[in-house]
Amino acid sequence: MAQDLRSLVGSGSARELQEKLENWQRDYEMNSFGENLNRCCEILELNTAIQKRLFSILNETSREDTLNEGADTIKNRLLPSLASGGEKSLSITEGSLGGELQLRDSASNQSCQLQELEDKLYATRVQIKQMEQDPRASRAEECKALRQLQQLNDYEQEIQTLRHEISLLDAQKSLLQSRLVRSRSPFRCSVSKSRSAVSVRTWSPARAGRVNASHRACIIARFGFIYAQERLDAETLLRAFICDMETVQRIIYIAAVESFRAAKMAFWKLKISVKETLALDHVGPESLEVAALDYIARHKDLYDVCQSVQEVVCSMNVNPKIPYPPEVDFFVIRTLIRELCCLAFSMQTLIPPLDIALGVDGELFNRTMYYRSCDSDFTAPFVAYHVWPALMENGAVIVKGEVVTKKIVLCSRRRRIRSRSCSCGRRLRSGQVTRSRSLSTVRVKTSRY
């Protein structure tokens, strides 16, 4: 025990403890929080080592007490100080542990919140990426649908073209069959040689190339196609502004008649000009008339169809058979007028040329020239008005027209009454003006073309 005490005194632990305490007191204000904690921990460690050696000496000393004289001293002085010191150290330890646990919990909570935010951010990014993929897919589907729609339109146009070609081929077939039947008839075999020779002499290769059955059949088929399709399209356009079906059909018939008149006039003027040009150096077996027709048939682009359409519209503006006032500008059916003008011009290049029959309201119904419309009175013998003209060749009917027959026929003078005009309550289109009967106020709308 004495040796242990000397060893404790000789180690200088107490002096070292005192020096550390003095140094810590001197530098406490200048040290940081971490440095003060380290100093305190060093002093506590040194103090703990001194206490261990003191308790070891106390233990040896209590062993030497055979009479238990120091028990009361230990009980009264040492235990209370140990208890108070233990509670303080315990409270300090508990406080430090609680702070550490609190810090750990706070750090853990922050980590959890951070992880949760990262998960939400990742989910949001995934949603945004999915949304971006969806618009791209929708745009791709839209583009695909547009391409399919365009292909469908192309297919429909091809189908229409094929149907038109089929109709032309059917017409050619029927014409060739009829020619074959005529060529095999006994009457044709009994024709005299002199007549055959005249026919051969008057037939030229240029005329055969121009007046061929295929070209004639195509023109006739085109006339039927305009009646079956484009006439109905024009009726639909006019019905959007005029309720009276009779007025609509009258307007379309007048448009057909005026289109043929304008095209024939333009053809006549062009033929005169071409003949004057070809007459300067014309040579050949065919006549100048045939040469002029051949030239016009090969150069149809010389025809100014826009001028003819304008003339047709101007003529319709002053036509007394159309009820007054109008509810629509006649330029809305310019597609029908243009097609009829081009067709009428092509008909003039044939030998003999094709033309339409001019009908008169109130004429006797001709069964060989016209069909009755479905809304006709089939017991009426007179024509109330014409729906579509008949196609003629040298006075013979090639294609029948269409008329409406009624028992009571209104004269054309009564057609000028305002009450005959039926409006659907729709306004005129932009740029439309009311027609006038005076030729001086006829509208000229070249800007439409």
Side-chain angles (χ1 to χ4, degrees), residues 75-91:
K75 182 178 179 181
N76 294 329
R77 297 183 61 182
L78 184 59
L79 292 180
S81 61
L82 290 176
S84 61
E87 291 176 357
K88 290 181 181 180
S89 62
L90 181 60
S91 62

Side-chain angles (χ1 to χ4, degrees), residues 184-220:
R184 294 178 178 178
S185 62
F187 176 77
R188 186 174 182 86
C189 295
S190 62
V191 177
S192 62
K193 295 182 179 180
S194 60
R195 184 175 179 181
S196 299
V198 172
S199 299
V200 171
R201 285 194 300 270
T202 58
W203 191 262
S204 64
R207 183 179 180 184
R210 175 170 42 81
V211 192
N212 57 77
S214 176
H215 184 49
R216 178 177 176 275
C218 290
I219 291 178
I220 295 173

Side-chain angles (χ1 to χ4, degrees), residues 72-230:
D72 294 335
T73 302
I74 294 173
K75 182 178 179 181
N76 294 329
R77 297 183 61 182
L78 184 59
L79 292 180
S81 61
L82 290 176
S84 61
E87 291 176 357
K88 290 181 181 180
S89 62
L90 181 60
S91 62
I92 293 173
T93 304
E94 289 178 353
S96 62
L97 291 175
E100 185 178 357
L101 292 175
Q102 186 176 2
L103 290 174
R104 290 181 180 178
D105 293 339
S106 177
S108 178
N109 293 332
Q110 291 180 356
S111 299
C112 294
Q113 292 177 359
L114 181 60
Q115 184 65 31
E116 184 177 357
L117 290 175
E118 289 179 353
D119 294 340
K120 290 182 179 180
L121 180 60
Y122 178 76
T124 305
R125 289 177 178 174
V126 171
Q127 292 178 357
I128 292 174
K129 187 175 181 180
Q130 184 65 30
M131 292 174 64
E132 290 177 352
Q133 292 177 356
D134 292 341
R136 285 197 295 268
S138 61
R139 285 195 294 268
E141 292 178 356
E142 183 179 359
C143 295
K144 183 179 179 181
L146 290 175
R147 288 194 299 270
Q148 292 178 352
L149 181 60
Q150 183 65 32
Q151 292 177 357
L152 181 61
N153 294 333
D154 296 339
Y155 292 155
E156 290 179 353
Q157 292 178 0
E158 291 179 2
I159 290 173
Q160 293 293 338
T161 303
L162 291 175
R163 287 178 178 175
H164 180 59
E165 293 178 356
I166 290 173
S167 63
L168 296 181
L169 292 175
D170 290 340
Q172 294 176 12
K173 179 182 177 181
S174 61
L175 183 61
L176 292 175
Q177 288 177 350
S178 62
R179 291 180 61 186
L180 181 62
V181 171
R182 288 196 302 268
S183 64
R184 294 178 178 178
S185 62
F187 176 77
R188 186 174 182 86
C189 295
S190 62
V191 177
S192 62
K193 295 182 179 180
S194 60
R195 184 175 179 181
S196 299
V198 172
S199 299
V200 171
R201 285 194 300 270
T202 58
W203 191 262
S204 64
R207 183 179 180 184
R210 175 170 42 81
V211 192
N212 57 77
S214 176
H215 184 49
R216 178 177 176 275
C218 290
I219 291 178
I220 295 173
R222 180 59 183 163
F223 182 79
F225 181 79
I226 293 176
Y227 166 77
Q229 182 62 43
E230 298 180 7

